[in-house]
């Protein structure tokens, strides 16, 4: 019996996968609006036809890119929360996970903040960012409720502000150590809520 070599196409990542990898690398490093379709096509080593066979437009590629970020963040935070049994530690696990992201050499801030700052109001990108923010805010409110906060919505909102503020500070000041100050602020906030 002869073993056949897999086809070149099967050995290489699909054009769609290469386009998404290229979009992630370029968008994360340089921003969504500054990177054009031609740069993505060149970086992915695909043809223009391959791009348009996989994505109707750059906006659809951005939408897919943001969905990937949403999914990865959701998984990362959900897994960190699930590893804890104490409700207080579940909240702190979110900030510890965020601190790990700050220390990554390619950390360049929140993709949703960057995308929404560059996108027209009411468009697909704006909606994607709003959905992500709703998920984060709901996660914090749910964690606050599980911890027994008298007003889970208020505490959840305060935690969300600290989460967003830490991300912006880490990005703008290039200061991953802000995570320690943020964690201390979260602990003070939790203590003041008597959790």
């Amino acid at each position: 019996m002869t073993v056949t070599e897999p086809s070149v196409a099967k050995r290489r990542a699909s054009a769609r996968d290469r386009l998404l990898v290229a979009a992630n690398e370029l968008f994360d490093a340089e921003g969504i609006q500054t990177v054009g379709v031609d740069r993505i096509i060149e970086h992915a080593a695909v043809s223009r036809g391959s791009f348009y066979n996989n994505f109707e437009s750059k906006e659809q590629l951005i939408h897919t890119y943001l969905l990937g970020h949403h999914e990865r963040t959701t998984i990362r935070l959900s897994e960190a929360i699930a590893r804890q049994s104490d409700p207080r530690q579940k909240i702190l696990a979110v900030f510890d996970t965020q601190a790990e992201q700050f220390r990554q050499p390619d950390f360049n801030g929140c993709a949703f903040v960057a995308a929404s700052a560059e996108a027209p109001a009411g468009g697909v990108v704006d909606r994607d960012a709003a959905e992500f923010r709703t998920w984060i805010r709901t996660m914090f409110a749910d964690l606050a409720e599980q911890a027994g906060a008298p007003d889970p919505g208020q505490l959840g909102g305060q935690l969300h502000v600290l989460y967003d503020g830490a991300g912006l500070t880490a990005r703008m000041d290039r200061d991953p150590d802000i995570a320690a100050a943020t964690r201390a602020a979260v602990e003070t906030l939790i203590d003041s809520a008597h959790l």
Side-chain angles (χ1 to χ4, degrees), residues 113-135:
V113 170
S116 63
E118 299 177 6
V124 172
V125 172
D126 197 39
R127 287 192 301 271
D128 288 340
E131 286 176 20
F132 177 73
R133 290 183 58 70
T134 298
W135 185 85

Side-chain angles (χ1 to χ4, degrees), residues 127-186:
R127 287 192 301 271
D128 288 340
E131 286 176 20
F132 177 73
R133 290 183 58 70
T134 298
W135 185 85
I136 292 287
R137 192 170 21 261
T138 301
M139 173 200 64
F140 279 126
D142 289 348
L143 291 173
E145 183 174 20
Q146 291 170 27
D151 188 345
Q154 180 181 2
L155 180 57
Q158 292 167 331
L159 292 167
H160 190 188
V161 167
L162 289 170
Y163 182 87
D164 283 353
L168 287 171
T169 302
R171 163 64 178 98
M172 294 185 74
D173 295 345
R174 301 284 181 209
D175 180 14
D177 295 332
I178 194 62
T182 304
R183 194 179 201 280
V186 170

